[in-house]
Amino acid sequence: MSEAVEKVLAVLDRMGAPHALAPRLVSALSPRPAAELDANPWLLLRLPEVTVEQADYCARRHLGEAARPDDPRRLGALVGHTLRTAARRGHTAIEEKRLATVVGQLGIADPRSALEAAVAAEEIALFEGGDEADDDFDFEEGGVPEVPDLPDPERHYALHDVGHAEQRLGEQLLRLIGGSEPIMDPMTAAETLAAATTEHGLAISETTREALLTATMRPVTVVHHGPGDQAETARALLCLAAIARESQVGIAVVTPTAPTAAAVNADLDRLLGAGEPPVRAVSLAALLSGEPAPAGIVVLCESMSLGVARMADLVSACVDDAHLVLLADPDQAPSATPGRVVVDVAASRTAHVAVVADDAEPSPVAVLARAVAEGDWPEVEAPDREVVRVPAASGEEAAHRVTQLVTDSIPRALGIGSDQVQVITCREDGPAGARALNAACKERLNPGPGAHGGFDVGDRVVLTAGGPGYGPGDTGHLREVTEGAVIELTDGTRVTVTDPSALRPGWAVSVAVAHGSRWPAVVAVFPPQVPVSRPQAYTALTRATRHVSVVDATDGALETGVRETLAPDRTTRLALILRTG
């Protein structure tokens, strides 16, 4: 046990709080967690599992009569707690009037004072920005313009890290938008595309060709695609690589995680057969941990999965004259972290929007996904068992079916090994949740005592935090334990993880963790009594490149959720930053 944890434990004892909170408080309150908590017991609210009532109880135990409802420490902590709750729901900021209303519902008599206390305590940050500029002036007779009254600036509050990440992202995007010239003129670009398709024996749709020309001309382009467009996307990447080579600007193809880098590279390999692809995809963590050569074209796959923080890291790494291409499937769920970057970039009207579309017949997985995107769940013809639906009467039966599929049915019937099958479930707990399914898969695939902090060599793991060469959502296998856990990621690279808390069992993951990654086969699990939304179901299905098994224990609730439940809206500032910057 570290000295910092021991000191926090002593403070928790005095306030009657559980010892189990200590390690997480050390992470949340560093560099002096014990001293901070001792001075302000309401900092317990930095942890999502602590309620306001529990924090007030501990504060009374610790401070006695000094624990007053109007204590500025309490007011600031409650406002910070409100914004952390909002951030977990995807919001990057809350408008002042709305935040004051929510804070007032917590029983705070003077919400405005609470907001001021939170800013003073550096719990939150205030961001001010005006409305969009209006160039339409009303002219009086005689040609003298009537200047409208200046609007009050919009005031938003955000957590420091989230708010400043969104601000940085907006500023970095504006840097690219304001500084990039066309990579080549339209005629030369069209000729280069024609030569590239001839060289590689490829055919791209007219829609895709127009999208590539747009990306060549414009500094930031959002390129939409749908399910089943992976092959067309790979062809587009080869064409962009040809443009980069001809213009000598370089290209970087980036993915949110190592599994998607492996999937994109497999698509490129299939297109070229024995030929060496002129471009290879790398994970965002791998790109940022190395010293990448300046690239004039930067393509991000699975862009919907990145929130403002990781997207800001990528855009900040782009050189001034880079062209950024955000490949995105707009029907996917929003990112698991705060923000709705692709939506905001497109809505800001500061970037161009184009479409990649494959004219080929869609696969059964794509047919089902497209129907789900429209609110339907039909029966799909799958002659090669690309889509299999497995009904289950209970969570326990669903778990049994999952282990059968992963360990036997899919490897035997389709030749896809268990290590290439990813289980994606809609909940963490319960008999068909990620915890139980991970335990069942480990028992069948790699039984052991958990000799290394609950893990054994050979275990499949998922990373929940970033480090040198790896990022949240990366999956792989534990290969050895030396001074850290040596993980072989899905794309074949090896990384060393020194923080044990960054590892979780990875045979089964939630939809939020899976977002941004793709695997050859997916077992999508829909347990009983768990609400399902259309974007959630769609995202789970589209994580599969070849096969999806749907284990359905919802007794009809899956179809209802797909038909009726959309993703809730998010409050963000990025579009405003881009329009007014």
Side-chain angles (χ1 to χ4, degrees), residues 134-466:
D134 187 354
D135 294 330
D136 296 328
F137 289 95
D138 293 327
F139 284 85
E140 297 177 343
E141 186 176 354
V144 179
E146 180 182 346
V147 181
D149 293 335
L150 294 176
D152 292 331
E154 291 193 20
R155 294 165 62 90
H156 287 82
Y157 293 86
L159 299 176
H160 276 276
D161 56 344
V162 176
H164 287 294
E166 186 168 39
Q167 186 71 33
R168 178 166 66 104
L169 172 58
E171 292 169 356
Q172 292 298 319
L173 284 169
L174 288 170
R175 172 178 64 87
L176 296 185
I177 291 168
S180 296
E181 298 292 333
I183 291 174
M184 56 176 57
D185 65 80
M187 181 174 296
T188 304
E191 292 172 351
T192 303
L193 289 179
T197 54
T198 301
E199 175 188 355
H200 299 300
L202 307 175
I204 58 174
S205 69
E206 182 61 24
T207 302
T208 299
R209 191 186 73 85
E210 292 176 1
L212 295 173
L213 291 174
T214 299
T216 304
M217 297 297 112
R218 307 299 181 183
V220 178
T221 308
V222 174
V223 178
H224 288 158
H225 63 84
D229 287 334
Q230 291 96 340
E232 184 76 351
T233 299
R235 289 189 281 268
L237 293 177
L238 290 176
C239 291
L240 285 175
I243 289 173
R245 183 182 65 227
E246 182 68 21
S247 57
Q248 298 182 336
V249 299
I251 184 171
V253 176
V254 188
T255 64
T257 64
T260 297
V264 170
N265 288 330
D267 291 338
L268 294 170
D269 290 338
R270 277 191 291 272
L271 282 179
L272 297 184
E276 180 66 24
V279 62
R280 304 298 285 177
V282 298
S283 71
L284 175 58
L287 178 83
L288 296 177
S289 65
E291 294 292 337
I297 302 175
V298 178
V299 184
L300 175 65
C301 306
E302 295 286 345
S303 296
M304 287 289 288
S305 68
L306 289 196
V308 293
R310 296 192 73 203
M311 189 70 83
D313 290 340
L314 171 63
V315 180
S316 297
C318 294
V319 298
D320 286 345
D321 56 352
H323 281 224
L324 179 65
V325 181
L326 301 176
L327 288 171
D329 183 342
D331 292 312
Q332 290 178 12
S335 58
T337 53
R340 50 173 194 179
V341 175
V342 173
V343 174
D344 284 343
V345 171
S348 72
R349 302 191 301 274
T350 59
H352 285 70
V353 179
V355 177
V356 162
D358 196 341
D359 291 338
E361 190 73 20
S363 70
V365 175
V367 170
L368 176 59
R370 289 179 183 180
V372 168
E374 296 175 357
D376 191 18
W377 193 296
E379 293 294 328
V380 174
E381 292 186 12
D384 295 321
R385 301 181 65 81
E386 297 92 342
V387 176
V388 174
R389 189 164 185 177
V390 182
S394 65
E396 291 79 5
E397 183 182 350
H400 177 68
R401 298 299 183 199
V402 169
T403 55
Q404 280 186 323
L405 288 162
V406 173
T407 63
D408 177 54
S409 301
I410 293 175
R412 174 171 45 82
L414 301 175
I416 301 174
S418 296
D419 61 338
Q420 295 183 300
V421 181
Q422 182 63 52
V423 180
I424 301 175
T425 182
C426 293
R427 68 182 306 166
E428 289 288 340
D429 55 358
R435 294 188 185 92
L437 294 175
N438 273 311
C441 288
K442 176 175 173 55
E443 183 179 353
R444 292 286 298 275
L445 294 169
N446 195 51
H452 304 288
F455 295 94
D456 295 295
V457 172
D459 276 356
R460 186 166 178 166
V461 296
V462 61
L463 297 159
T464 60

